[in-house]
C-alpha cells in the first residue's frame, strides 16, 4: 500500500503547480489502520507546508500516535518561511513516516530524516522516487544544477522558418494552437523572450486563453535599446529586463545586470538563477534559443510544426542530431513535438 498512498501524495502535490515556486510541490497523507484520516499539500509559496496542512485536517488527533505519515518530499528540518515540519511530526508523536524523495536543498538534505530517526520515528524512503523527481523536475534541477529548468519553444513552417521576410510577424500556427501555448505558460515560473522577438512581435507574454498562474515576464535587452512604447513596458504587470547597463527598480520594471564574464545562454541562465527562478519557458527568437542550445543549457523543447511554406525568412533553431520527439499536441493542421535532453 505504500505506493498507493505515495501516489496520492503526488496527486495532491500537483495541485500546487505554478503557485509554490521556487519551493517544490509536496503532498502528504496520514493513514490510520488502512484509513486516510488526513491530507494536505503545499498550496502557495510562504504558506504552511503539506505536512502541516495534513495534520491540521485530522479530526481525530488522538489517532496520530498510531498513524503513518506519507509525504512526497523529505520533511524540512530548518526554519524558513515556516517552522520545521520534522519538529511538528515529532511533537505530534507520529511513529512512522514514508517518503518519496529526499530533499537535496542544502538546509535539508537528509537532516529532516536524521531528526526524525533521532526521535525514534521509523522512516522509509525512495517509494516511487522516479515519479517524484519527474513531478518536481524544476525544483531538482534548480537545486542540484544551480540553474532553472529550461524549456525551449518555437514554431516553424514545413520548410524550416520561424518567421518570414516582412516587417510584420508571420503567424506560423493557427489560433487554436495558441491555447496549448497559454496552458504551457502556466507551468513555468518565468517566460523569456529576446530582443528581436519583443521588437518585432510586440508581445504581452501573458496567460489569456486559459485560467492559471501567470509566469514572471523576462526579456533580454542587453543595451536597453527597445522602444518604451512597446506594450510590455506599459501594462503595469511585473517585468524583468536582463541587460548590461543598469540594475534597479522603476515602477513595475526590474532591471537586472548580466554577469560580465558570461555570455549567451550561460549569462541568461545565471541571472535567472540569481532571481530564484526555478523554471523558464524560452519563447524566442531564433538567436536566443540557439544560444541555449549551443551552451547545452536546456531540458525540454517544444517544436510546433505547421504545414505552410514560407520560402525565406528567419531559420528555425537547430537542435542536436539524433533527438526523437514525442507528439504532445495535434489539430487538423499543426503538430507539437516535445524533445527531452537526457
Amino acid at each position: 500500500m505504500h505506493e498507493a498512498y505515495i501516489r496520492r501524495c503526488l496527486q495532491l502535490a500537483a495541485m500546487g503547480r505554478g503557485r509554490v515556486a521556487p519551493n517544490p510541490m509536496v503532498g502528504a497523507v496520514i493513514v490510520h489502520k488502512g484509513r486516510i484520516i488526513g491530507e494536505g499539500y503545499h498550496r502557495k509559496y510562504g504558506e504552511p507546508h503539506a505536512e502541516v496542512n495534513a495534520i491540521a485536517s485530522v479530526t481525530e488527533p488522538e489517532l496520530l500516535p498510531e498513524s503513518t505519515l506519507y509525504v512526497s518530499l523529505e520533511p524540512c528540518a530548518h526554519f524558513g518561511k515556516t517552522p520545521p515540519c520534522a519538529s511538528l511530526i515529532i511533537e505530534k508523536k507520529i511513529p512512522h513516516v514514508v517518503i518519496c524523495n529526499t530533499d537535496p536543498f542544502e538546509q535539508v538534505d537528509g537532516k529532516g530524516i536524521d531528526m526524525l530517526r533521532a526521535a525514534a520515528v521509523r522512516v522509509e524512503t525512495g517509494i516511487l522516487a522516479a515519479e517524484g523527481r519527474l513531478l518536481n523536475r524544476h525544483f531538482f534541477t534548480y537545486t542540484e544544477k544551480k540553474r532553472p529548468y529550461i524549456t525551449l519553444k518555437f514554431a516553424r513552417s514545413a520548410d524550416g522558418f520561424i518567421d518570414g521576410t516582412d516587417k510584420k510577424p508571420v503567424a506560423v500556427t493557427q489560433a487554436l494552437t495558441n491555447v496549448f501555448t497559454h496552458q504551457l505558460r502556466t507551468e513555468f515560473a518565468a517566460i523569456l523572450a529576446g530582443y528581436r522577438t519583443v521588437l518585432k512581435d510586440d508581445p504581452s507574454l501573458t496567460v489569456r486563453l486559459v485560467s492559471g498562474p501567470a509566469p514572471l515576464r523576462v526579456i533580454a535587452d542587453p543595451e536597453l535599446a527597445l522602444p518604451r512604447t512597446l506594450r510590455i513596458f506599459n501594462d503595469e504587470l511585473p517585468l524583468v529586463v536582463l541587460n548590461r547597463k543598469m540594475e534597479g527598480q522603476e515602477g513595475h520594471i526590474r532591471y537586472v545586470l548580466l554577469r560580465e564574464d558570461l555570455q549567451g545562454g550561460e549569462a541568461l541562465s545565471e541571472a535567472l538563477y540569481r532571481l530564484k527562478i526555478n523554471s523558464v519557458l524560452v519563447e524566442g527568437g531564433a538567436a536566443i534559443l540557439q544560444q541555449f542550445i549551443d551552451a547545452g543549457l536546456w531540458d525540454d523543447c517544444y517544436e510546433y510544426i505547421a504545414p505552410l511554406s514560407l520560402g525565406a525568412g528567419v531559420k528555425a533553431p537547430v537542435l542536436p542530431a539524433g533527438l526523437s520527439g514525442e507528439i504532445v499536441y495535434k489539430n487538423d493542421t499543426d503538430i507539437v513535438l516535445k524533445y527531452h535532453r537526457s
Side-chain angles (χ1 to χ4, degrees):
M1 293 300 294
H2 282 356
E3 290 190 0
Y5 293 129
I6 288 293
R7 188 162 281 115
R8 176 57 181 161
C9 289
L10 297 176
Q11 291 173 346
L12 290 165
M15 294 172 69
R17 191 186 304 278
R19 296 176 175 86
V20 300
N23 284 356
M25 294 174 280
V26 184
V29 173
I30 301 173
V31 178
H32 178 265
K33 295 182 178 179
R35 178 171 65 97
I36 294 177
I37 61 171
E39 291 187 336
Y41 66 97
H42 186 27
R43 294 174 177 270
K44 187 177 180 181
Y45 178 71
E47 292 188 358
H49 289 182
E51 301 94 318
V52 176
N53 289 331
I55 290 170
S57 76
V58 175
T59 59
E60 301 171 274
E62 67 275 9
L63 300 180
L64 289 174
E66 301 173 353
S67 300
T68 297
L69 170 69
Y70 292 84
V71 63
S72 58
L73 193 71
E74 175 183 359
C76 61
H78 67 289
F79 281 89
K81 295 279 185 181
T82 60
C85 292
S87 297
L88 178 64
I89 294 167
I90 294 167
E91 176 191 327
K92 297 299 181 179
K93 297 182 169 55
I94 298 174
H96 186 199
V97 176
V98 180
I99 299 167
C100 175
N101 296 118
T102 55
D103 188 340
F105 182 54
E106 61 182 0
Q107 289 182 280
V108 185
D109 197 18
K111 297 180 182 68
I113 293 172
D114 290 344
M115 183 184 293
L116 292 171
R117 286 177 172 160
V121 176
R122 183 159 66 95
V123 179
E124 298 179 65
T125 63
I127 310 300
L128 298 182
E131 293 183 28
R133 286 190 67 89
L134 180 63
L135 175 70
N136 272 313
R137 56 194 180 277
H138 297 174
F139 168 75
F140 283 107
T141 297
Y142 175 80
T143 305
E144 295 170 348
K145 296 185 178 181
K146 309 303 180 188
R147 66 164 176 83
Y149 191 97
I150 299 169
T151 298
L152 313 179
K153 173 250 169 185
F154 64 91
R156 69 167 178 85
S157 62
D159 55 350
F161 296 96
I162 66 170
D163 200 1
T165 56
D166 295 339
K167 290 184 179 180
K168 291 185 177 180
V170 174
V172 175
T173 55
Q174 63 168 279
L176 181 62
T177 308
N178 291 338
V179 177
F180 177 84
T181 297
H182 282 237
Q183 182 61 52
L184 187 64
R185 287 177 178 178
T186 67
E187 299 178 10
F188 293 87
I191 182 172
L192 171 65
Y195 172 87
R196 291 185 182 89
T197 294
V198 176
L199 180 62
K200 186 171 184 179
D201 296 356
D202 192 13
S204 60
L205 302 180
T206 57
V207 173
R208 301 180 303 280
L209 303 181
V210 300
S211 62
L216 175 66
R217 304 175 309 164
V218 182
I219 61 174
D221 183 13
E223 304 303 317
L224 297 180
L226 286 169
R228 288 314 187 254
T229 54
L230 295 171
R231 74 175 78 185
I232 204 164
F233 293 107
N234 295 291
D235 59 12
E236 300 303 318
L237 298 174
L239 173 68
V240 171
V241 181
L242 303 181
N243 70 95
R244 297 193 180 278
K245 295 287 188 179
M246 65 175 284
E247 184 101 17
Q249 187 85 31
E250 291 183 0
H252 69 291
I253 304 172
R254 180 178 179 182
Y255 294 91
V256 175
L257 280 169
L258 296 165
R259 264 178 48 177
E260 293 183 2
D261 59 326
L262 297 176
Q263 300 296 322
E266 290 185 350
L268 296 169
S269 176
E270 189 279 333
L272 293 168
Y273 179 76
R274 206 178 340 129
L275 288 167
K276 297 184 178 180
I277 292 170
N278 74 350
S279 64
V280 62
L281 179 64
V282 185
E283 288 209 7
I288 199 168
L289 288 163
Q290 199 65 55
Q291 288 176 358
F292 281 102
I293 294 168
D294 292 344
L297 288 171
W298 66 281
D299 299 284
D300 294 327
C301 178
Y302 290 86
E303 181 184 32
Y304 295 53
I305 305 173
L308 80 162
S309 294
L310 297 178
V314 180
K315 276 285 192 180
V318 179
L319 292 169
L323 293 176
S324 179
E326 170 194 5
I327 296 177
V328 293
Y329 175 83
K330 184 177 183 180
N331 57 38
D332 57 345
T333 59
D334 306 332
I335 66 168
V336 179
L337 297 176
K338 181 181 180 181
Y339 303 90
H340 180 71
R341 179 171 172 267
S342 56

